[in-house]
Amino acid sequence: MLIRLRHGLASAELDPLLKLCRDLGYGTRFLDEGRRLLELAGQGDRTHRTRLEDHPDVVEVVAPGDSYELHARGGGRPDTVVRIGDVAFGGGDVAIAAGPCSVEDYERLLLLARGVQDCGVSILRGGAFKPRTSPYSFQGLGVIGLEMLAAVRDETGIAIVTEVLDPRDVERVAEVADWIQIGTRSATNFPLLTEVGRAGKPVLLKRGFGATVREFLLSAEYVLNAGNEDVVLCERGVRSFDSTTRNLLDVGAVAHLAAATHLPVIVDPSHAAGRADLVRPLARAGLAAGADGLIIEVHDDPATAQSDGEQAISLEDLRALTLDAKAIVSLDGRVLSDRSLTSPAHPSNAKESIQ
Ligand code: PEP
Ligand code: MN
């Protein structure tokens, strides 16, 4: 392990840290005259990296060596490929999920599901449990929304990605979702991450809007450590000083993550932009930076949407965006997974039961 130390530490001030390293079982050696780069030799265990990162004299762990962290690319580990329905994320496969921010009513959800399928998209997004900044905003339809998602899946064969907010709801969300979303506001809800890690369904983990890349990866680590390897990371923009866009899409983080972790990384340009007119260019930027997919908010009548209408694009724009995506990923030999044109997986008349 290689660690970078705070500038200007006197020899005596270094002693406690050097003693700690030796007590942890490492040999220590400075690599520079200024005594800022410290190499630790020896076998550690998985608690050591974060213990050293938390030390006040340590600026960063530059090269973690064998850090035992499950997200790490380490030793050239190949990409993890996460399959959702009939598409895949990672390992050269790129896919798109699209749909409304919130599940609002059955007819609209079905219309949007069929619409996104017509654009070649085979994963429908839609929140039944909505994390809203204000308790007075629409909170989602909850269990009724889940039933609508299940019915639309039965009707169309589309795969479902939907958010869970509460560890107590994980089981029932997992019954409906093909892919369970952890939103930006829940990214450090560690009991929820652990519970979702045990749910037996792939996880879509969004980056906390104030999380560093390292913190983002450690959130993923909670899910992985609970035994779930099917984790897709999602960059959805971080908070910045400028309100021109809702958030600041961190394209650099996407490029970094593509190299640093074997997990697939996708981009959510909708929550990054907060404006429908910027969704398409940000989607292009994300894919060009190496993202393995996109998640896009779509609505047939954005002005009446219960949440995030200002960033919802039309189905027509989604079609254009999927064509962009196909062209961009083909530049580096990747493939956009299109919906395979099979008949609905579970035709049913479930629609009537929940209207
Ligand atoms: C959403 O997907 O509608 C959502 C609330 O996203 P985020 O958690 O990224 O804000
Ligand atoms: Mn939204």
Side-chain angles (χ1 to χ4, degrees):
M1 196 166 7
L2 192 59
I3 60 183
R4 190 154 65 83
L5 305 183
R6 215 152 48 77
H7 185 63
L9 291 169
S11 259
E13 290 176 291
L14 285 168
D15 287 345
L17 175 63
L18 294 175
K19 179 172 182 317
L20 170 66
C21 295
R22 283 193 290 268
D23 289 349
L24 293 174
Y26 295 99
T28 59
R29 181 169 72 111
F30 283 101
L31 297 184
D32 62 331
E33 282 190 7
R35 293 161 74 85
R36 290 196 64 198
L37 269 184
L38 180 65
E39 185 185 55
L40 305 186
Q43 288 291 319
D45 78 41
R46 68 168 77 199
T47 64
H48 292 173
R49 177 176 178 176
T50 48
R51 183 149 170 203
L52 290 166
E53 279 175 337
D54 290 345
H55 192 284
D57 293 340
V58 173
V59 176
E60 67 174 328
V61 173
V62 186
D66 194 356
S67 74
Y68 299 88
E69 287 175 350
L70 300 167
H71 66 262
R73 173 80 74 179
R77 185 178 161 163
D79 289 347
T80 290
V81 178
V82 176
R83 290 175 201 287
I84 311 289
D86 54 8
V87 295
F89 296 90
D93 280 321
V94 176
I96 298 177
C101 177
S102 302
V103 175
E104 297 174 356
D105 62 73
Y106 180 79
E107 290 301 340
R108 166 162 284 143
L109 194 64
L110 183 59
L111 179 135
L112 290 171
R114 292 204 163 119
V116 305
Q117 282 182 320
D118 280 348
C119 297
V121 169
S122 61
I123 306 173
L124 178 70
R125 62 146 292 141
F129 295 103
K130 293 302 299 178
R132 303 308 299 280
T133 302
S134 165
Y136 308 120
S137 301
F138 175 62
Q139 303 287 309
L141 298 179
V143 175
I144 294 169
L146 282 183
E147 288 171 3
M148 290 178 183
L149 287 165
V152 166
R153 186 186 53 190
D154 287 349
E155 188 74 18
T156 62
I158 201 162
I160 301 293
V161 57
T162 195
E163 178 162 357
V164 65
L165 290 178
D166 187 323
R168 292 168 297 187
D169 292 325
V170 168
E171 210 174 314
R172 59 179 157 188
V173 170
E175 278 169 21
V176 171
D178 299 282
W179 195 15
I180 304 178
Q181 177 175 330
I182 300 282
T184 195
R185 293 163 188 79
S186 302
T188 49
N189 183 339
F190 303 120
L192 180 63
L193 293 169
T194 300
E195 203 55 39
V196 160
R198 296 184 184 130
K201 285 284 170 80
V203 175
L204 169 60
L205 176 64
K206 293 200 162 187
R207 178 180 181 181
F209 53 67
T212 63
V213 168
R214 174 84 182 128
E215 287 163 342
F216 185 20
L217 287 169
L218 289 176
S219 292
E221 198 70 17
Y222 271 89
V223 181
L224 297 166
N225 193 40
N228 191 338
E229 294 186 351
D230 286 336
V231 178
V232 178
L233 304 174
C234 178
E235 165 57 37
R236 45 79 71 203
V238 289
R239 197 160 260 185
S240 89
F241 58 89
D242 187 354
S243 59
T244 306
T245 55
R246 185 177 180 184
N247 291 287
L248 183 68
L249 183 67
D250 189 351
V251 180
V254 175
H256 168 81
L257 289 166
T261 172
H262 54 87
L263 299 172
V265 184
I266 69 168
V267 159
D268 173 349
S270 307
H271 290 87
R275 289 166 41 182
D277 62 321
L278 297 185
V279 168
R280 194 169 162 195
L282 292 193
R284 292 178 179 194
L287 292 171
D292 300 294
L294 299 169
I295 181 164
I296 308 286
E297 286 189 345
V298 175
H299 205 280
D300 59 306
D301 185 10
T304 64
Q306 299 259 30
S307 57
D308 287 349
E310 58 294 346
Q311 66 198 34
I313 63 169
S314 64
L315 287 166
E316 202 184 338
D317 287 344
L318 179 65
R319 187 179 298 278
L321 190 152
T322 59
L323 295 175
D324 286 350
K326 195 174 260 193
I328 290 168
V329 304
S330 72
L331 293 175
D332 54 8
R334 296 182 295 155
V335 179
L336 180 72
S337 312
D338 274 326
R339 185 168 87 93
S340 55
L341 295 168
T342 48
S343 51
H346 322 277
S348 85
N349 57 3
K351 172 184 160 185
E352 277 73 33
S353 64
I354 58 158
Q355 269 183 325

mmCIF file of all heavy atoms in Angstrom, residues 6-38:
data_model
loop_
_atom_site.group_PDB
_atom_site.id
_atom_site.type_symbol
_atom_site.label_atom_id
_atom_site.label_comp_id
_atom_site.label_asym_id
_atom_site.label_seq_id
_atom_site.Cartn_x
_atom_site.Cartn_y
_atom_site.Cartn_z
ATOM 1 N N ARG A 6 0.310 14.210 5.020
ATOM 2 C CA ARG A 6 0.160 15.662 5.106
ATOM 3 C C ARG A 6 1.518 16.344 4.956
ATOM 4 O O ARG A 6 2.547 15.803 5.380
ATOM 5 C CB ARG A 6 -0.441 15.983 6.485
ATOM 6 C CG ARG A 6 -1.362 17.129 6.509
ATOM 7 C CD ARG A 6 -2.387 16.985 7.613
ATOM 8 N NE ARG A 6 -1.903 16.631 8.922
ATOM 9 C CZ ARG A 6 -1.301 17.471 9.786
ATOM 10 N NH1 ARG A 6 -1.068 18.725 9.446
ATOM 11 N NH2 ARG A 6 -0.932 17.047 10.983
ATOM 12 N N HIS A 7 1.511 17.532 4.368
ATOM 13 C CA HIS A 7 2.737 18.287 4.147
ATOM 14 C C HIS A 7 3.254 18.840 5.475
ATOM 15 O O HIS A 7 2.482 19.223 6.337
ATOM 16 C CB HIS A 7 2.411 19.447 3.191
ATOM 17 C CG HIS A 7 3.607 20.227 2.795
ATOM 18 N ND1 HIS A 7 4.648 19.673 2.092
ATOM 19 C CD2 HIS A 7 3.933 21.515 3.004
ATOM 20 C CE1 HIS A 7 5.565 20.584 1.881
ATOM 21 N NE2 HIS A 7 5.158 21.720 2.425
ATOM 22 N N GLY A 8 4.582 18.875 5.632
ATOM 23 C CA GLY A 8 5.195 19.610 6.746
ATOM 24 C C GLY A 8 5.140 18.911 8.091
ATOM 25 O O GLY A 8 5.224 19.582 9.118
ATOM 26 N N LEU A 9 5.015 17.599 8.107
ATOM 27 C CA LEU A 9 5.021 16.898 9.398
ATOM 28 C C LEU A 9 6.468 16.725 9.871
ATOM 29 O O LEU A 9 7.329 16.268 9.111
ATOM 30 C CB LEU A 9 4.365 15.513 9.257
ATOM 31 C CG LEU A 9 2.859 15.488 9.007
ATOM 32 C CD1 LEU A 9 2.408 14.081 8.634
ATOM 33 C CD2 LEU A 9 2.113 15.976 10.254
ATOM 34 N N ALA A 10 6.722 17.111 11.108
ATOM 35 C CA ALA A 10 8.070 16.915 11.667
ATOM 36 C C ALA A 10 8.261 15.432 11.978
ATOM 37 O O ALA A 10 7.286 14.695 12.138
ATOM 38 C CB ALA A 10 8.214 17.749 12.936
ATOM 39 N N SER A 11 9.540 15.036 12.049
ATOM 40 C CA SER A 11 9.856 13.622 12.297
ATOM 41 C C SER A 11 9.098 13.053 13.493
ATOM 42 O O SER A 11 8.503 11.972 13.416
ATOM 43 C CB SER A 11 11.350 13.494 12.589
ATOM 44 O OG SER A 11 12.001 13.056 11.473
ATOM 45 N N ALA A 12 9.115 13.820 14.580
ATOM 46 C CA ALA A 12 8.478 13.321 15.803
ATOM 47 C C ALA A 12 6.968 13.155 15.591
ATOM 48 O O ALA A 12 6.353 12.239 16.150
ATOM 49 C CB ALA A 12 8.749 14.275 16.960
ATOM 50 N N GLU A 13 6.399 14.031 14.758
ATOM 51 C CA GLU A 13 4.950 13.940 14.521
ATOM 52 C C GLU A 13 4.588 12.690 13.718
ATOM 53 O O GLU A 13 3.456 12.204 13.773
ATOM 54 C CB GLU A 13 4.466 15.174 13.751
ATOM 55 C CG GLU A 13 4.487 16.454 14.574
ATOM 56 C CD GLU A 13 4.094 17.652 13.718
ATOM 57 O OE1 GLU A 13 4.869 18.027 12.822
ATOM 58 O OE2 GLU A 13 3.012 18.190 13.952
ATOM 59 N N LEU A 14 5.573 12.185 12.953
ATOM 60 C CA LEU A 14 5.314 10.999 12.135
ATOM 61 C C LEU A 14 5.320 9.707 12.956
ATOM 62 O O LEU A 14 4.772 8.691 12.542
ATOM 63 C CB LEU A 14 6.379 10.885 11.041
ATOM 64 C CG LEU A 14 6.253 11.836 9.867
ATOM 65 C CD1 LEU A 14 7.522 11.816 9.027
ATOM 66 C CD2 LEU A 14 5.068 11.425 9.016
ATOM 67 N N ASP A 15 5.977 9.786 14.116
ATOM 68 C CA ASP A 15 6.198 8.553 14.881
ATOM 69 C C ASP A 15 4.914 7.771 15.202
ATOM 70 O O ASP A 15 4.883 6.548 15.022
ATOM 71 C CB ASP A 15 6.979 8.856 16.178
ATOM 72 C CG ASP A 15 8.439 9.157 15.852
ATOM 73 O OD1 ASP A 15 8.863 8.853 14.707
ATOM 74 O OD2 ASP A 15 9.135 9.712 16.716
ATOM 75 N N PRO A 16 3.850 8.433 15.682
ATOM 76 C CA PRO A 16 2.646 7.640 16.017
ATOM 77 C C PRO A 16 2.082 6.882 14.807
ATOM 78 O O PRO A 16 1.681 5.725 14.934
ATOM 79 C CB PRO A 16 1.649 8.697 16.517
ATOM 80 C CG PRO A 16 2.483 9.864 16.926
ATOM 81 C CD PRO A 16 3.690 9.856 16.039
ATOM 82 N N LEU A 17 2.102 7.540 13.627
ATOM 83 C CA LEU A 17 1.567 6.866 12.440
ATOM 84 C C LEU A 17 2.468 5.688 12.043
ATOM 85 O O LEU A 17 1.976 4.602 11.723
ATOM 86 C CB LEU A 17 1.452 7.857 11.267
ATOM 87 C CG LEU A 17 1.025 7.232 9.944
ATOM 88 C CD1 LEU A 17 -0.367 6.629 10.037
ATOM 89 C CD2 LEU A 17 1.073 8.268 8.811
ATOM 90 N N LEU A 18 3.791 5.911 12.100
ATOM 91 C CA LEU A 18 4.706 4.819 11.742
ATOM 92 C C LEU A 18 4.539 3.643 12.705
ATOM 93 O O LEU A 18 4.549 2.476 12.291
ATOM 94 C CB LEU A 18 6.155 5.324 11.758
ATOM 95 C CG LEU A 18 6.477 6.371 10.684
ATOM 96 C CD1 LEU A 18 7.892 6.904 10.845
ATOM 97 C CD2 LEU A 18 6.294 5.776 9.287
ATOM 98 N N LYS A 19 4.327 3.969 13.960
ATOM 99 C CA LYS A 19 4.129 2.897 14.956
ATOM 100 C C LYS A 19 2.828 2.148 14.648
ATOM 101 O O LYS A 19 2.795 0.908 14.673
ATOM 102 C CB LYS A 19 4.091 3.499 16.363
ATOM 103 C CG LYS A 19 3.871 2.439 17.450
ATOM 104 C CD LYS A 19 4.029 2.991 18.843
ATOM 105 C CE LYS A 19 3.863 1.944 19.926
ATOM 106 N NZ LYS A 19 2.763 1.012 19.753
ATOM 107 N N LEU A 20 1.788 2.903 14.314
ATOM 108 C CA LEU A 20 0.510 2.251 13.981
ATOM 109 C C LEU A 20 0.709 1.275 12.814
ATOM 110 O O LEU A 20 0.255 0.130 12.846
ATOM 111 C CB LEU A 20 -0.545 3.310 13.622
ATOM 112 C CG LEU A 20 -1.845 2.745 13.023
ATOM 113 C CD1 LEU A 20 -2.618 1.904 14.047
ATOM 114 C CD2 LEU A 20 -2.747 3.869 12.503
ATOM 115 N N CYS A 21 1.425 1.735 11.764
ATOM 116 C CA CYS A 21 1.643 0.872 10.594
ATOM 117 C C CYS A 21 2.400 -0.394 10.988
ATOM 118 O O CYS A 21 2.059 -1.495 10.541
ATOM 119 C CB CYS A 21 2.411 1.635 9.515
ATOM 120 S SG CYS A 21 1.485 3.010 8.831
ATOM 121 N N ARG A 22 3.395 -0.223 11.807
ATOM 122 C CA ARG A 22 4.177 -1.403 12.224
ATOM 123 C C ARG A 22 3.315 -2.334 13.080
ATOM 124 O O ARG A 22 3.347 -3.541 12.927
ATOM 125 C CB ARG A 22 5.451 -0.967 12.948
ATOM 126 C CG ARG A 22 6.530 -0.468 11.957
ATOM 127 C CD ARG A 22 7.898 -0.338 12.601
ATOM 128 N NE ARG A 22 7.948 0.746 13.551
ATOM 129 C CZ ARG A 22 8.319 2.005 13.252
ATOM 130 N NH1 ARG A 22 8.716 2.313 12.019
ATOM 131 N NH2 ARG A 22 8.330 2.933 14.180
ATOM 132 N N ASP A 23 2.500 -1.725 13.969
ATOM 133 C CA ASP A 23 1.614 -2.561 14.808
ATOM 134 C C ASP A 23 0.615 -3.335 13.950
ATOM 135 O O ASP A 23 0.164 -4.414 14.318
ATOM 136 C CB ASP A 23 0.851 -1.692 15.822
ATOM 137 C CG ASP A 23 1.773 -1.147 16.916
ATOM 138 O OD1 ASP A 23 2.932 -1.625 16.995
ATOM 139 O OD2 ASP A 23 1.341 -0.243 17.655
ATOM 140 N N LEU A 24 0.260 -2.755 12.793
ATOM 141 C CA LEU A 24 -0.674 -3.462 11.895
ATOM 142 C C LEU A 24 0.050 -4.544 11.083
ATOM 143 O O LEU A 24 -0.576 -5.264 10.305
ATOM 144 C CB LEU A 24 -1.351 -2.468 10.946
ATOM 145 C CG LEU A 24 -2.320 -1.455 11.580
ATOM 146 C CD1 LEU A 24 -2.812 -0.442 10.539
ATOM 147 C CD2 LEU A 24 -3.511 -2.151 12.220
ATOM 148 N N GLY A 25 1.369 -4.586 11.227
ATOM 149 C CA GLY A 25 2.124 -5.665 10.590
ATOM 150 C C GLY A 25 2.838 -5.272 9.308
ATOM 151 O O GLY A 25 3.295 -6.146 8.561
ATOM 152 N N TYR A 26 2.982 -3.965 9.040
ATOM 153 C CA TYR A 26 3.637 -3.536 7.800
ATOM 154 C C TYR A 26 5.074 -3.091 8.051
ATOM 155 O O TYR A 26 5.399 -2.526 9.092
ATOM 156 C CB TYR A 26 2.889 -2.335 7.198
ATOM 157 C CG TYR A 26 1.488 -2.659 6.745
ATOM 158 C CD1 TYR A 26 0.398 -2.341 7.553
ATOM 159 C CD2 TYR A 26 1.251 -3.272 5.523
ATOM 160 C CE1 TYR A 26 -0.892 -2.626 7.158
ATOM 161 C CE2 TYR A 26 -0.044 -3.571 5.111
ATOM 162 C CZ TYR A 26 -1.110 -3.236 5.932
ATOM 163 O OH TYR A 26 -2.384 -3.532 5.525
ATOM 164 N N GLY A 27 5.920 -3.311 7.054
ATOM 165 C CA GLY A 27 7.217 -2.666 7.001
ATOM 166 C C GLY A 27 7.001 -1.285 6.384
ATOM 167 O O GLY A 27 6.149 -1.127 5.516
ATOM 168 N N THR A 28 7.740 -0.275 6.840
ATOM 169 C CA THR A 28 7.509 1.084 6.329
ATOM 170 C C THR A 28 8.763 1.629 5.651
ATOM 171 O O THR A 28 9.882 1.355 6.084
ATOM 172 C CB THR A 28 7.114 2.041 7.473
ATOM 173 O OG1 THR A 28 8.174 2.052 8.436
ATOM 174 C CG2 THR A 28 5.824 1.621 8.145
ATOM 175 N N ARG A 29 8.558 2.394 4.573
ATOM 176 C CA ARG A 29 9.696 2.984 3.857
ATOM 177 C C ARG A 29 9.210 4.248 3.147
ATOM 178 O O ARG A 29 8.185 4.212 2.442
ATOM 179 C CB ARG A 29 10.204 1.978 2.822
ATOM 180 C CG ARG A 29 11.394 2.458 2.023
ATOM 181 C CD ARG A 29 11.983 1.310 1.231
ATOM 182 N NE ARG A 29 11.132 0.912 0.106
ATOM 183 C CZ ARG A 29 11.450 1.111 -1.181
ATOM 184 N NH1 ARG A 29 12.590 1.666 -1.504
ATOM 185 N NH2 ARG A 29 10.615 0.721 -2.134
ATOM 186 N N PHE A 30 9.927 5.370 3.357
ATOM 187 C CA PHE A 30 9.579 6.591 2.622
ATOM 188 C C PHE A 30 10.167 6.531 1.224
ATOM 189 O O PHE A 30 11.307 6.097 1.035
ATOM 190 C CB PHE A 30 10.104 7.830 3.364
ATOM 191 C CG PHE A 30 9.239 8.178 4.541
ATOM 192 C CD1 PHE A 30 9.628 7.816 5.835
ATOM 193 C CD2 PHE A 30 8.032 8.820 4.361
ATOM 194 C CE1 PHE A 30 8.814 8.105 6.915
ATOM 195 C CE2 PHE A 30 7.212 9.121 5.436
ATOM 196 C CZ PHE A 30 7.597 8.760 6.716
ATOM 197 N N LEU A 31 9.381 6.977 0.244
ATOM 198 C CA LEU A 31 9.855 6.916 -1.141
ATOM 199 C C LEU A 31 10.413 8.253 -1.615
ATOM 200 O O LEU A 31 10.926 8.351 -2.719
ATOM 201 C CB LEU A 31 8.698 6.505 -2.062
ATOM 202 C CG LEU A 31 8.114 5.115 -1.809
ATOM 203 C CD1 LEU A 31 7.047 4.802 -2.839
ATOM 204 C CD2 LEU A 31 9.201 4.040 -1.841
ATOM 205 N N ASP A 32 10.275 9.294 -0.802
ATOM 206 C CA ASP A 32 10.768 10.610 -1.238
ATOM 207 C C ASP A 32 11.482 11.301 -0.084
ATOM 208 O O ASP A 32 11.275 10.968 1.087
ATOM 209 C CB ASP A 32 9.591 11.477 -1.717
ATOM 210 C CG ASP A 32 8.589 11.738 -0.603
ATOM 211 O OD1 ASP A 32 8.466 10.879 0.309
ATOM 212 O OD2 ASP A 32 7.952 12.792 -0.611
ATOM 213 N N GLU A 33 12.312 12.285 -0.442
ATOM 214 C CA GLU A 33 13.089 12.984 0.591
ATOM 215 C C GLU A 33 12.194 13.798 1.514
ATOM 216 O O GLU A 33 12.483 13.960 2.688
ATOM 217 C CB GLU A 33 14.118 13.900 -0.070
ATOM 218 C CG GLU A 33 15.314 13.115 -0.563
ATOM 219 C CD GLU A 33 16.453 14.017 -1.012
ATOM 220 O OE1 GLU A 33 16.351 15.237 -0.821
ATOM 221 O OE2 GLU A 33 17.416 13.463 -1.571
ATOM 222 N N GLY A 34 11.106 14.308 0.955
ATOM 223 C CA GLY A 34 10.198 15.128 1.771
ATOM 224 C C GLY A 34 9.361 14.311 2.745
ATOM 225 O O GLY A 34 8.585 14.854 3.507
ATOM 226 N N ARG A 35 9.523 12.992 2.712
ATOM 227 C CA ARG A 35 8.795 12.079 3.613
ATOM 228 C C ARG A 35 7.282 12.304 3.546
ATOM 229 O O ARG A 35 6.608 12.444 4.560
ATOM 230 C CB ARG A 35 9.320 12.233 5.054
ATOM 231 C CG ARG A 35 10.759 11.746 5.189
ATOM 232 C CD ARG A 35 11.446 12.270 6.418
ATOM 233 N NE ARG A 35 11.000 11.631 7.649
ATOM 234 C CZ ARG A 35 11.471 10.480 8.146
ATOM 235 N NH1 ARG A 35 12.400 9.811 7.491
ATOM 236 N NH2 ARG A 35 11.024 10.001 9.270
ATOM 237 N N ARG A 36 6.787 12.319 2.325
ATOM 238 C CA ARG A 36 5.324 12.445 2.151
ATOM 239 C C ARG A 36 4.713 11.194 1.541
ATOM 240 O O ARG A 36 3.515 10.992 1.597
ATOM 241 C CB ARG A 36 4.997 13.662 1.274
ATOM 242 C CG ARG A 36 5.286 14.963 1.974
ATOM 243 C CD ARG A 36 4.606 16.107 1.274
ATOM 244 N NE ARG A 36 3.153 15.996 1.322
ATOM 245 C CZ ARG A 36 2.326 16.652 0.510
ATOM 246 N NH1 ARG A 36 2.812 17.457 -0.400
ATOM 247 N NH2 ARG A 36 1.019 16.497 0.617
ATOM 248 N N LEU A 37 5.566 10.383 0.885
ATOM 249 C CA LEU A 37 5.050 9.157 0.269
ATOM 250 C C LEU A 37 5.582 7.967 1.042
ATOM 251 O O LEU A 37 6.774 7.691 1.052
ATOM 252 C CB LEU A 37 5.548 9.049 -1.170
ATOM 253 C CG LEU A 37 4.684 9.636 -2.267
ATOM 254 C CD1 LEU A 37 5.308 9.334 -3.621
ATOM 255 C CD2 LEU A 37 3.250 9.093 -2.203
ATOM 256 N N LEU A 38 4.665 7.263 1.686
ATOM 257 C CA LEU A 38 5.069 6.159 2.551
ATOM 258 C C LEU A 38 4.590 4.843 1.956
ATOM 259 O O LEU A 38 3.393 4.681 1.673
ATOM 260 C CB LEU A 38 4.445 6.367 3.944
ATOM 261 C CG LEU A 38 4.757 5.311 4.992
ATOM 262 C CD1 LEU A 38 6.246 5.288 5.335
ATOM 263 C CD2 LEU A 38 3.932 5.572 6.269
#
